[in-house]
Amino acid sequence: EVETCDHLGGFLALHSVAGGTGSGLGSFVLSAVRDAFPSAVLSSLSVWPFRTGEVSVQCYNAALTLSSIYEHTDLSVMCENEGYLELCRVLLGQERPSLDSLNSAMSGNLVRVMMPCGSVHKLYGPGCPLLQLAGHLAAHPLYRLTTVRALPQIRKGAEAFTSDAWTALQRRMLQLCEHGTMVDRPSASPEAMHCRTVSASTFLWGDGATDASLEPLRRMPLWQHSVDGMQVHADGHHVGGLERSLGIVSNCQAVLPALCSTTSRATSMLRASAYLHQYERYGLSRDEMSEAILVMLQAQHDYEQLSASG
């Protein structure tokens, strides 16, 4: 496929990090693609497990996968099951959303940062914006994990009755980014974190997108060392039947809760030598597992330091 295409925009891998196939085979594919195409853009959509636990060794698998992501990819989008579960509960009113509901919520967010966009096309030509903007979103090698959000968040069937002004959408998106949350609520909780952003790309879709005022987005809490931290792109096409909508992919501290939870469990299990025999039988040593967990601890530390450095 690559040899027959006229232009290689890059590679986008979709995999989970909890189970053996997504983490093991997914990491192998990332390594193989990087070896075969060392100069091509390689990004991943990595689905992170529920923090309550899906697989007994999911924290080990997540550590090994994250180590591979940092070694081989230019950018990774973290799709946390926990966040999308909450999003489905709020949007759909379902106490136990189905797998289809979670997948629909994820795709609804991702399409707004992956669909070909007019202003991106003018700058970079045809292709997937997520790949084309990887150099902007993950310019610093220590920060490669991104989060995707989209507004408005409405129930299916209510699109025709929704008409949000650009200023209102941007203000609400600013609040989501400031507090590191995914769900659009009337007010943030007092305990919500103050989220620092390394870089972000925002996409405005729909009527008046190219002429919209960007004043609210300019108040995004950016890392003081960011260069061109916020990019905004616009396209007049409607997405999902909505008159106006926006999506944002941001490299920010919103990934910390998932990293903290996973590293805490992984280090505790490693101390107790829990389940290590399942990896040693296939040639993965305790030292190699320890190194993978250290990579995840370092990523957690790096994102935590964004607050300290301003």
Side-chain angles (χ1 to χ4, degrees):
E1 292 294 330
V2 173
E3 292 174 352
T4 58
C5 69
D6 296 325
H7 170 72
L8 176 62
F11 297 91
L12 183 64
L14 174 61
H15 66 111
S16 69
V17 303
T21 304
S23 60
L25 182 60
S27 297
F28 172 79
V29 169
L30 292 178
S31 174
V33 171
R34 178 52 76 209
D35 288 343
F37 303 93
S39 60
V41 177
L42 175 58
S43 299
S44 70
L45 298 178
S46 307
V47 181
W48 281 68
F50 293 103
R51 294 170 204 167
T52 51
E54 300 173 37
V55 182
S56 57
V57 292
Q58 67 180 35
C59 55
Y60 282 162
N61 291 341
L64 292 168
T65 306
L66 189 69
S67 177
S68 179
I69 286 172
Y70 264 77
E71 182 177 359
H72 302 299
T73 71
D74 300 290
L75 171 79
S76 178
V77 177
M78 285 181 60
C79 299
E80 296 182 48
N81 278 339
E82 204 81 31
Y84 282 100
L85 178 69
E86 184 183 9
L87 183 61
C88 288
R89 283 173 173 168
V90 172
L91 288 183
L92 306 177
Q94 299 177 353
E95 181 60 30
R96 298 176 65 86
S98 65
L99 187 59
D100 285 343
S101 297
L102 291 175
N103 289 337
S104 179
M106 285 186 190
S107 61
N109 278 9
L110 291 170
V111 71
R112 287 174 172 80
V113 301
M114 294 179 63
M115 191 169 70
C117 176
S119 63
V120 179
H121 184 279
K122 290 179 182 178
L123 293 172
Y124 303 100
C128 171
L130 189 62
L131 295 175
Q132 293 170 314
L133 300 173
H136 157 66
L137 290 165
H140 198 295
L142 295 181
Y143 307 106
R144 300 190 187 184
L145 307 178
T146 63
T147 303
V148 173
R149 303 177 180 88
L151 289 175
Q153 297 173 359
I154 58 173
R155 297 195 181 194
K156 189 175 182 180
E159 296 86 356
F161 309 100
T162 302
S163 180
D164 294 281
W166 285 120
T167 301
L169 286 173
Q170 291 178 55
R171 284 175 179 167
R172 282 152 52 197
M173 182 61 78
L174 178 64
Q175 184 181 45
L176 294 184
C177 293
E178 284 180 333
H179 297 289
T181 59
M182 183 176 293
V183 181
D184 185 20
R185 299 183 183 277
S187 60
S189 68
E191 295 81 17
M193 66 183 291
H194 184 74
C195 186
R196 184 74 60 181
T197 298
V198 177
S199 56
S201 290
T202 304
F203 298 83
L204 279 62
W205 299 93
D207 297 346
T210 56
D211 303 318
S213 169
L214 305 177
E215 185 59 34
L217 289 177
R218 293 194 180 99
R219 298 197 294 271
M220 184 75 68
L222 295 173
W223 185 38
Q224 65 173 358
H225 301 297
S226 295
V227 178
D228 190 24
M230 170 63 73
Q231 288 191 3
V232 181
H233 303 280
D235 193 297
H237 287 89
H238 293 185
V239 178
L242 291 164
E243 186 177 345
R244 299 179 192 86
S245 64
L246 63 84
I248 185 170
V249 52
S250 57
N251 189 339
C252 65
Q253 291 178 305
V255 299
L256 276 174
L259 290 178
C260 293
S261 172
T262 307
T263 54
S264 176
R265 293 184 62 190
T267 52
S268 295
M269 288 175 61
L270 183 65
R271 256 188 237 109
S273 298
Y275 301 108
L276 282 178
H277 65 281
Q278 296 187 19
Y279 296 87
E280 291 170 343
R281 65 189 294 189
Y282 293 104
L284 185 75
S285 68
R286 180 191 182 94
D287 288 342
E288 290 172 310
M289 181 64 76
S290 179
E291 288 176 7
I293 295 174
L294 284 175
V295 170
M296 188 159 57
L297 283 167
Q298 183 63 53
Q300 175 186 328
H301 173 76
D302 291 335
Y303 275 97
E304 288 173 340
Q305 288 305 300
L306 289 175
S307 296
S309 60

